[in-house]
Amino acid sequence: MKVLGLKDVVRKDVPIYYRRLFSGIIVLELMNKKTAERKIDFSIETKPTGQKAIIVKLAEAVDYPLIPVIHEIKQYIDNLDGDGGLPLE
């Protein structure tokens, strides 16, 4: 399982400055080189210690074990956020 990309990302307006909410479409490569696109909602919350807590909610089922999928998506989002790839507004 591999995350190929994240597209149509939209940041939702939230008045809390340490929490950012997003929605978009995740592109996954599943077994047998099969690709799947699923709608997701995710949030990035900065804790007082400076650590980021990423929460991912898939709107549609994935034909793959859920824990590895969520783990890979969280890593991808963390890398994308660190590189400045998420919308600022």
Side-chain angles (χ1 to χ4, degrees):
M1 204 289 306
K2 183 174 156 184
V3 177
L4 298 178
L6 185 61
K7 61 183 188 179
D8 299 334
V9 179
V10 176
R11 184 173 176 175
K12 298 176 184 178
D13 189 26
V14 178
I16 302 171
Y17 70 92
Y18 57 86
R19 184 178 297 150
R20 298 176 287 154
L21 300 176
F22 299 90
S23 63
I25 298 174
I26 193 80
V27 182
L28 304 169
E29 181 181 289
L30 302 174
M31 298 179 349
N32 300 329
K33 303 288 182 187
K34 204 170 156 183
T35 60
E37 293 186 2
R38 299 291 186 263
K39 293 180 183 179
I40 65 166
D41 292 318
F42 62 95
S43 66
I44 303 173
E45 184 172 331
T46 305
K47 296 182 179 185
T49 59
Q51 294 176 325
K52 289 190 270 185
I54 300 172
I55 299 170
V56 175
K57 294 180 184 174
L58 290 167
E60 304 171 49
V62 178
D63 190 23
Y64 199 84
L66 193 58
I67 293 175
V69 169
I70 297 294
H71 180 71
E72 287 294 319
I73 293 173
K74 283 182 179 183
Q75 281 187 326
Y76 184 81
I77 291 171
D78 190 30
N79 292 339
L80 196 61
D81 186 40
D83 294 340
L86 293 175
L88 296 175
E89 294 182 17

